[in-house]
Amino acid sequence: MNLFQALGKQIKNFSDLVAFEHTIFSSSFILIAMVVASMQMYGIPWCGWETFILCIFALVSARNFAMGFNRLKDRDIDALNFRTNKRPSVDGRISLSGLVAFNVINALIFICVSYCINTLAFYLCAPFLVILAFYSYTKRFSAIAHWVLGVCLGLAPIAGVIAVMGEIPLWSIFLSVGVLFWVAGFDLLYSIQDIEFDKDNHLHSIPAYFGVKATLWISRLCHILAIGFWASFVYEAQLGKIAELGVVLSALMLCYEQYLVSVHLKNIPKAFFVTNGYLGMIFFICILIDSIKAVYGY
């Protein structure tokens, strides 16, 4: 195996480690926040290449750190679970020293990028990293892990707004809290797959505490709250009809997600990976079209 083949294989291993393709879950909402913030700052839905590129680096490095730290912390748990024991952090494809280096490098990239963005971003980068790392501990002592994960992904739109505006307006909080409940809702569904494993290994989760039926209802409540906060975001940011359509479409997709899982639990992967990815992108497209329409009047 030559150097380039070895490098390509290692890049693939790290991509598998952090499930890089799922970055779409976070990227859609940071883009929504940046579009709306740019409209309010500059009157157009574009913040400029410098801010955009810095935000992409911040998003990717923060998510890499969060996922990498989780894989590092959960190696002992993942090794016991048939669903996770083939992860690169467990099966030997990535060494312990490689995991540690990956986390340190991405944390440093995030800090440096935050410094380049603006003062508020730099001041908040360390607390953001602490929150991202804290998630990996929560399942060991509390079932709030589902909502802590929501907070972690909800930081993305806040970060986008800070990068463009240097402040945190109320509408961005509504958007982020909506993301919090959206993520918690689908993580509750996803964690049903590990209900017996969590019980056997004394891990804390809502399914392990309350069972499948109660978990489904709590997930539905979270998704209702998500739609409510996204509607509040659209209202507070004074967006138009197409943005409102985005909220309606998001609601319909969450209903479909809940329906899939209620029909049969084997549909959980499809509900998790497919529906949520489309939701974020469709919501973003609606916000972008609404903003372009506001600028050009068509």
Side-chain angles (χ1 to χ4, degrees), residues 101-121:
F102 181 77
N103 286 315
V104 171
I105 290 170
N106 278 284
L108 290 175
I109 291 173
F110 181 70
I111 292 169
C112 292
V113 170
S114 299
Y115 177 80
C116 293
I117 290 174
N118 57 45
T119 302
L120 182 57

Side-chain angles (χ1 to χ4, degrees), residues 84-136:
T84 59
N85 60 14
K86 296 297 188 294
R87 285 174 174 171
S89 51
V90 178
D91 65 10
R93 282 179 285 164
I94 298 177
S95 65
L96 176 60
S97 59
L99 276 173
V100 172
F102 181 77
N103 286 315
V104 171
I105 290 170
N106 278 284
L108 290 175
I109 291 173
F110 181 70
I111 292 169
C112 292
V113 170
S114 299
Y115 177 80
C116 293
I117 290 174
N118 57 45
T119 302
L120 182 57
F122 182 63
Y123 286 162
L124 292 178
C125 67
F128 274 26
L129 290 174
V130 170
I131 293 171
L132 295 176
F134 176 67
Y135 164 70
S136 297

Side-chain angles (χ1 to χ4, degrees), residues 30 33-34 55 58 110 117 121 128 154-164 176:
I30 193 174
M34 291 172 68
C55 283
F110 181 70
I117 290 174
F128 274 26
L155 292 175
I158 291 289
V161 160
I162 289 172
V164 176
S176 293

Side-chain angles (χ1 to χ4, degrees), residues 128-158:
F128 274 26
L129 290 174
V130 170
I131 293 171
L132 295 176
F134 176 67
Y135 164 70
S136 297
Y137 293 90
T138 51
K139 197 171 185 179
R140 298 169 185 264
F141 66 86
S142 174
I144 65 168
H146 310 287
W147 289 273
V148 175
L149 179 62
V151 170
C152 291
L153 270 74
L155 292 175
I158 291 289

Side-chain angles (χ1 to χ4, degrees), residues 81 139 190-201 203 205-213 215 265:
N81 191 336
K139 197 171 185 179
Y190 194 69
S191 63
I192 291 174
Q193 298 175 110
D194 292 331
I195 184 170
E196 297 303 327
F197 180 82
D198 289 348
K199 289 179 180 179
D200 293 342
N201 291 273
L203 297 173
S205 68
I206 292 298
Y209 280 170
F210 300 110
V212 173
K213 186 175 181 180
T215 300
L265 297 181

Side-chain angles (χ1 to χ4, degrees), residues 11-239:
I11 290 173
K12 183 181 185 304
N13 289 338
F14 279 106
S15 178
D16 291 343
L17 177 79
V18 300
F20 187 77
E21 65 276 13
H22 298 160
T23 306
I24 190 171
F25 289 169
S26 300
S27 64
S28 299
F29 284 90
I30 193 174
L31 291 174
I32 288 171
M34 291 172 68
V35 164
V36 177
S38 298
M39 284 292 293
Q40 296 193 355
M41 284 292 291
Y42 311 118
I44 58 172
W46 178 242
C47 58
W49 281 109
E50 179 179 349
T51 301
F52 178 77
I53 292 172
L54 287 172
C55 283
I56 295 301
F57 273 104
L59 172 68
V60 172
S61 59
R63 186 181 181 279
N64 283 349
F65 170 79
M67 294 292 292
F69 190 87
N70 179 259
R71 299 298 186 251
L72 174 65
K73 182 63 181 173
D74 282 358
R75 282 182 306 142
D76 56 336
I77 297 174
D78 289 344
L80 300 174
N81 191 336
F82 74 92
R83 193 177 58 80
T84 59
N85 60 14
K86 296 297 188 294
R87 285 174 174 171
S89 51
V90 178
D91 65 10
R93 282 179 285 164
I94 298 177
S95 65
L96 176 60
S97 59
L99 276 173
V100 172
F102 181 77
N103 286 315
V104 171
I105 290 170
N106 278 284
L108 290 175
I109 291 173
F110 181 70
I111 292 169
C112 292
V113 170
S114 299
Y115 177 80
C116 293
I117 290 174
N118 57 45
T119 302
L120 182 57
F122 182 63
Y123 286 162
L124 292 178
C125 67
F128 274 26
L129 290 174
V130 170
I131 293 171
L132 295 176
F134 176 67
Y135 164 70
S136 297
Y137 293 90
T138 51
K139 197 171 185 179
R140 298 169 185 264
F141 66 86
S142 174
I144 65 168
H146 310 287
W147 289 273
V148 175
L149 179 62
V151 170
C152 291
L153 270 74
L155 292 175
I158 291 289
V161 160
I162 289 172
V164 176
M165 303 182 72
E167 59 184 40
I168 306 175
L170 181 59
W171 62 260
S172 67
I173 296 176
F174 287 147
L175 176 62
S176 293
V177 175
V179 172
L180 186 164
F181 283 112
W182 168 55
V183 171
F186 70 65
D187 188 61
L188 283 162
L189 298 178
Y190 194 69
S191 63
I192 291 174
Q193 298 175 110
D194 292 331
I195 184 170
E196 297 303 327
F197 180 82
D198 289 348
K199 289 179 180 179
D200 293 342
N201 291 273
H202 309 291
L203 297 173
H204 302 269
S205 68
I206 292 298
Y209 280 170
F210 300 110
V212 173
K213 186 175 181 180
T215 300
L216 291 175
W217 281 106
I218 296 170
S219 174
R220 291 164 188 163
L221 176 60
C222 285
H223 282 166
I224 290 171
L225 289 171
I227 294 302
F229 277 104
W230 286 338
S232 299
F233 147 66
V234 168
Y235 175 81
E236 179 65 25
Q238 299 181 357
L239 304 180

